[in-house]
Amino acid sequence: MSLDLKHLRCFVAVAEERSFSAAARRLFISQQAVSRIVQQLERELGTTLLERTTRSVRLTPAGRLLLESARRSLAAVEATFNAVRHAGDGEPRPQLRVDVSSSGLQTGAEILRRIRRQHPDIAVREVEEGVPRGLVALREGRLDALFGFAAGVPAAVHAEPVRHERVLLGTAVDHPLAGLAAVPVAELAGVELLLPVETAPEWVRFVEGFCRQAGVVPRRWPGTTHGSVGAAEVVGSGLCVVPTTAWSVPPPTMVFRPLVDPTPVFTWSMMLASDATDRPELLALARCVRELSRELGWLDDPP
């Protein structure tokens, strides 16, 4: 059997998601296909790359070694394909791979809208890596810009605050907490919260932190969703509530109330690889974000 790109893509997806089912959703193929392809790769290399348990997937030392090389190889292949694809178009169209956490959130939607409107010549590709994986992707050149909470940022990454945003609680319109003008954090005691499982550990730690200040141990809703549509469905039906920042288009099935006592403030940062900040398209993005931040007073609220 000869190895090809699908083997590396499947392995990287499983390694980054720590889950065969999540990797299958990311790649739009079946979980059985992902498992089969990774097994083929392990047989061909003659070593175990992943330790599988009923609850988790962990990299072996050989897997960690392969992951770094596989990421670089896939990034190089993608860059080559893009160069060839645009070879007949004269100058290649500049591209930006940007992770804004979610375009369903107001901050990310505003950033994407501004850069696309002011620079239609730049092909902006929205990516959802999350901060931990996004920082790795920045260093390895697979991502150009990352927006979110700048937790554990290495020296190789430039981080610049762009917004201090007060945290809201999203609930169903008929939820008891929806009747409050503002929701004290202490009211979350015993209430199930919709929290991300793996994609945003820095957000979970942030929520746990302000809950602890109010003497509350967060109670996680056991289900999971993907994206704002799925979140709106479960929250709007009253199954749980969700701590969040402002949504771009609030759904009619939900209401949003500010959290207080304490008043949590989430700081969004723009993160760029330090050795790439002089690229023209990244300079254009940074200008757009700084203009947007000044115009809308994003840094006016105290951290």
Side-chain angles (χ1 to χ4, degrees):
M1 184 199 74
S2 61
L3 299 179
D4 56 30
L5 290 177
K6 72 180 179 185
H7 294 90
L8 293 184
R9 288 195 178 103
C10 279
F11 167 70
V12 169
V14 175
E16 291 182 343
E17 299 292 342
R18 295 293 195 270
S19 163
F20 280 84
S21 58
R25 289 193 297 271
R26 169 171 156 179
L27 297 171
F28 301 101
I29 60 177
S30 71
Q31 183 175 338
Q32 292 78 9
V34 172
S35 180
R36 183 177 63 253
I37 292 169
V38 171
Q39 288 173 0
Q40 290 172 350
L41 178 61
E42 290 179 320
R43 283 198 301 269
E44 186 71 13
L45 296 177
T47 188
T48 301
L49 302 171
L50 300 164
E51 293 179 352
R52 304 151 173 88
T53 70
T54 56
R55 293 188 177 183
S56 66
V57 175
R58 292 185 300 177
L59 287 165
T60 65
R64 288 193 292 272
L65 180 63
L66 178 61
L67 179 59
E68 300 305 315
S69 297
R71 283 169 167 164
R72 288 193 294 269
S73 298
L74 291 173
V77 169
E78 182 179 359
T80 301
F81 284 173
N82 284 332
V84 173
R85 190 177 292 120
H86 297 289
D89 301 337
E91 284 294 319
R93 187 176 182 183
Q95 295 195 14
L96 277 178
R97 296 156 298 180
V98 181
D99 186 338
V100 294
S101 177
S102 170
S103 58
L105 297 176
Q106 183 188 83
T107 300
E110 292 284 359
I111 289 170
L112 293 175
R113 188 178 300 120
R114 176 63 63 99
I115 183 66
R116 285 170 173 154
R117 186 176 69 238
Q118 291 196 1
H119 296 276
D121 56 311
I122 298 176
V124 179
R125 295 176 51 197
E126 186 183 350
V127 179
E128 287 195 27
E129 292 273 5
V131 171
R133 292 200 302 265
L135 289 172
V136 175
L138 280 177
R139 297 198 303 272
E140 295 179 350
R142 296 181 290 108
L143 185 67
D144 299 308
L146 172 65
F147 292 85
F149 186 67
V153 177
V157 173
H158 166 79
E160 175 182 339
V162 297
R163 184 176 191 180
H164 302 312
E165 185 174 7
R166 298 186 186 279
V167 177
L168 309 174
L169 186 73
T171 76
V173 293
D174 57 353
H175 192 280
L177 295 178
L180 302 176
V183 179
V185 176
E187 293 292 330
L188 300 182
V191 178
E192 291 191 333
L193 307 181
L194 178 61
L195 296 171
V197 179
E198 297 176 343
T199 54
E202 76 287 351
W203 173 257
V204 175
R205 288 193 294 270
F206 175 71
V207 172
E208 291 172 342
F210 68 71
C211 283
R212 279 197 301 271
Q213 291 181 52
V216 173
V217 177
R219 182 179 175 187
R220 182 192 290 269
W221 182 66
T224 60
T225 64
H226 182 72
S228 56
V229 173
E233 182 175 344
V234 299
V235 174
S237 64
L239 293 175
C240 55
V241 300
V242 60
T244 182
T245 54
W247 289 24
S248 175
V249 182
T253 57
M254 290 175 60
V255 296
F256 295 85
R257 301 288 185 254
L259 285 167
V260 294
D261 302 328
T263 299
V265 176
F266 182 79
T267 297
W268 292 88
S269 289
M270 173 172 58
M271 290 166 271
L272 314 169
S274 299
D275 59 359
T277 52
D278 58 347
R279 284 174 48 198
E281 56 269 30
L282 278 175
L283 290 172
L285 173 66
R287 281 194 300 270
C288 284
V289 173
R290 290 165 186 152
E291 289 172 2
L292 192 62
S293 180
R294 286 194 300 270
E295 291 170 14
L296 300 181
W298 278 359
L299 291 173
D300 290 350
D301 282 336

